[in-house]
Amino acid sequence: MSLLFELYPDIEKGYNLTQELRGIFENTTDKLIAFAKLAKWHEKVNQIGFKSFGTISRTIINHYQTILNYFDNRSTNAGSRTKLGEELKIS
């Protein structure tokens, strides 16, 4: 990968942004620390200026309170959404 990154530095920047965001969700257990890390990640995205990362960054900013709830008990409402989707299909 080092040759790829050497030839295409933007790919390395995108890879690093992806890994950093993944690390926040995988390794952070405190909501306030997650908030600070996500804010720093958002600033990096703005500095680099990739449109695709801008989309996810804006989504995080627009829904940060709900997203930060994940760090309370490391779970999502995906199960309840799936259940609701199944119920709507049955109806």
Side-chain angles (χ1 to χ4, degrees):
M1 278 190 357
S2 62
L3 177 60
L4 178 69
F5 291 162
E6 187 177 316
L7 294 172
Y8 303 99
D10 282 349
I11 291 176
E12 182 177 18
K13 290 176 188 174
Y15 177 83
N16 289 337
L17 284 172
T18 301
Q19 294 304 314
E20 186 175 344
L21 184 60
R22 179 189 317 245
I24 292 169
F25 282 92
E26 287 181 355
N27 302 317
T28 307
T29 57
D30 182 88
K31 188 186 263 189
L32 291 175
I33 292 172
F35 180 74
K37 287 182 177 183
L38 288 170
K40 287 181 183 179
W41 185 84
H42 173 74
E43 285 303 314
K44 285 183 186 177
V45 168
N46 285 340
Q47 290 174 355
I48 293 173
F50 291 158
K51 288 183 182 180
S52 57
F53 284 98
T55 300
I56 186 67
S57 182
R58 281 189 306 279
T59 299
I60 291 171
I61 295 301
N62 291 336
H63 302 283
Y64 75 93
Q65 291 175 324
T66 304
I67 291 168
L68 288 174
N69 286 337
Y70 168 80
F71 297 97
D72 280 337
N73 58 8
R74 314 270 306 157
S75 65
T76 67
N77 65 351
S80 60
R81 285 187 179 193
T82 301
K83 178 85 170 140
L84 177 61
E86 290 171 0
E87 289 175 3
L88 290 174
K89 286 180 186 176
I90 293 171
S91 300

